[in-house]
């Protein structure tokens, strides 16, 4: 802006100095001024600088455009499975079977899954893993991760409270995020990570905790009231019995709550009621 101000002051001084009424040739005078002031070079330099600036801007826009197109073509392709009010089962690309409890979700990168079998879980899921020693199977949750060592297992999460693992076959490694110093859990063992804990807490679990996914119940001289509590928790119902003095032993498989009730009633010769059904 200062250069422009000086330039116009020079032009004005030149006109005042050389002006004669009816004799001043403006075209000739301006050419003379260009020679004396080097205005032509100044204008050409400004034009070149303008072209250069436009060229740089165009190059930047081109680079940004190419970058956006590249990112669009290389966006991470995520696949998710989720449930609302029912239990559902899926077979993954590697042969692993995934069963999700109601209101649960699994997300993973399908592009990298075969080389890096890793997924994220919200809620509760049961896995029957196709073991591959060269490609470990890992489940990540809010508090910790589970690495398959050849097994079937259940992972349950309660956001903001805990993550737990129950192994039904084989073994898993259970560890807190950013720590590989976890624990090895084998069949029947349960691990729990709570908010604020530094290591998983290990205990022995109840195999009936996975009945919601497997349909398999196992009782050993179990009082009927306790058995009904287990079944009620599995199917989110409230059950009672006409005779509470009985006990039950054995392992049985059922696909739904109606089949469970039928098995218990037939085996113990009692009547099972759901909440609101008893008269």
């Amino acid at each position: 802006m200062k250069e422009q101000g000086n330039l116009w002051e020079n032009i004005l001084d030149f006109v005042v100095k050389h002006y004669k009424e009816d004799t001043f040739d403006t075209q000739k005078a301006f050419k003379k001024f260009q020679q004396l002031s080097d205005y032509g070079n100044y204008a050409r330099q400004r034009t070149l600088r303008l072209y250069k600036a436009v060229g740089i801007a165009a190059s930047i826009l081109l680079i940004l455009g190419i970058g956006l197109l590249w990112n669009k073509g290389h966006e991470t392709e995520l696949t998710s499975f989720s449930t609302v009010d029912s239990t559902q089962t899926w077979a993954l690309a590697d042969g692993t079977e995934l069963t999700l409890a109601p209101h649960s979700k699994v997300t993973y990168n399908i592009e990298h899954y075969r080389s890096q079998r890793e997924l994220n879980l919200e809620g509760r899921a049961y896995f029957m893993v196709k073991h591959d020693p060269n490609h470990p199977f890992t489940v990540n949750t809010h508090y910790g991760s589970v690495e398959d060592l050849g097994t079937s297992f259940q992972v349950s999460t309660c956001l903001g409270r805990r993550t737990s693992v129950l192994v039904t076959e084989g073994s898993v490694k259970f560890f807190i995020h950013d720590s590989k110093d976890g624990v090895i859990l084998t069949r029947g063992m349960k691990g729990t990570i709570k908010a604020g804990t530094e290591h998983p807490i290990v205990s022995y679990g109840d195999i009936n905790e996975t009945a919601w996914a497997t349909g398999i119940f196992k009782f050993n001289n179990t009082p009927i009231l306790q058995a009904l509590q287990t079944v009620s928790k599995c199917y989110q119902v409230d059950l009672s019995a006409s005779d509470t003095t009985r006990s039950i032993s054995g392992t049985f498989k059922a696909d739904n709550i109606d089949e469970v009730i039928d098995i218990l009633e037939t085996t113990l010769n009692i009547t099972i009621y759901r909440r609101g059904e008893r008269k």
Side-chain angles (χ1 to χ4, degrees):
M1 294 297 291
K2 187 175 181 180
E3 285 185 0
Q4 287 182 337
N6 293 333
L7 175 62
W8 288 111
E9 286 181 8
N10 291 335
I11 293 174
L12 183 59
D13 290 342
F14 181 85
V15 171
V16 171
K17 182 178 179 181
H18 297 281
Y19 177 75
K20 291 181 181 180
E21 188 174 0
D22 298 326
T23 61
F24 187 70
D25 188 338
T26 56
Q27 296 295 329
K28 184 177 180 180
F30 188 70
K31 290 181 180 179
K32 181 66 175 179
F33 170 76
Q34 287 181 321
Q35 294 173 358
L36 294 176
S37 64
D38 200 27
Y39 174 79
N41 290 334
Y42 171 79
R44 284 193 296 273
Q45 290 173 2
R46 283 184 59 85
T47 302
L48 288 174
R49 285 199 295 269
L50 178 61
Y51 285 154
K52 185 176 181 180
V54 172
I56 292 173
S59 298
I60 293 173
L61 290 174
L62 178 61
I63 292 171
L64 290 174
I66 292 173
L68 290 173
L69 289 173
W70 188 89
N71 286 330
K72 185 175 182 180
H74 290 77
E75 288 178 349
T76 302
E77 186 177 356
L78 296 179
T79 295
S80 64
F81 299 107
S82 59
T83 55
V84 181
D85 296 322
S86 61
T87 297
Q88 295 187 48
T89 300
W90 291 271
L92 303 183
D94 63 340
T96 293
E97 188 174 285
L98 159 68
T99 301
L100 280 181
H103 309 292
S104 301
K105 182 178 181 179
V106 157
T107 305
Y108 67 98
N109 187 329
I110 191 171
E111 182 179 350
H112 299 154
Y113 182 73
R114 288 192 179 276
S115 59
Q116 187 177 353
R117 301 193 301 167
E118 187 171 345
L119 48 79
N120 302 311
L121 169 67
E122 300 173 18
R124 181 169 58 164
Y126 184 80
F127 301 90
M128 295 181 63
V129 179
K130 184 72 172 181
H131 186 57
D132 181 351
N134 297 320
H135 302 94
F137 184 89
T138 303
V139 180
N140 297 316
T141 69
H142 182 71
Y143 285 118
S145 298
V146 185
E147 184 177 311
D148 157 62
L149 302 177
T151 186
S152 297
F153 58 92
Q154 170 182 282
V155 181
S156 300
T157 67
C158 184
L159 189 61
R161 295 177 59 186
R162 66 180 179 277
T163 293
S164 63
V165 180
L166 175 61
V167 180
T168 56
E169 294 290 342
S171 61
V172 301
K173 185 176 182 180
F174 188 33
F175 53 91
I176 296 176
H177 291 319
D178 301 323
S179 172
K180 289 295 184 178
D181 298 327
V183 296
I184 303 298
L185 303 175
T186 58
R187 182 177 182 179
M189 296 179 69
K190 183 176 182 177
T192 302
I193 297 175
K194 297 181 179 180
T197 59
E198 296 182 358
H199 303 283
I201 301 170
V202 179
S203 61
Y204 284 94
D206 182 357
I207 195 65
N208 291 323
E209 289 184 37
T210 63
W212 66 271
T214 64
I216 299 175
F217 290 90
K218 185 176 182 179
F219 299 112
N220 183 18
N221 198 31
T222 303
I224 186 58
L225 282 180
Q226 184 178 335
L228 290 179
Q229 288 176 357
T230 298
V231 175
S232 295
K233 184 177 180 180
C234 176
Y235 291 104
Q236 300 297 304
V237 295
D238 189 2
L239 301 177
S240 60
S242 59
D243 186 348
T244 59
T245 63
R246 306 294 182 89
S247 296
I248 186 170
S249 296
T251 301
F252 60 88
K253 182 174 177 21
D255 292 328
N256 54 62
I257 182 63
D258 292 326
E259 289 187 12
V260 175
I261 291 175
D262 185 61
I263 291 171
L264 292 176
E265 288 182 333
T266 303
T267 303
L268 300 178
N269 193 27
I270 59 175
T271 301
I272 305 295
Y273 304 99
R274 303 188 200 197
R275 169 176 278 185
E277 287 184 339
R278 189 168 183 172
K279 297 180 180 180

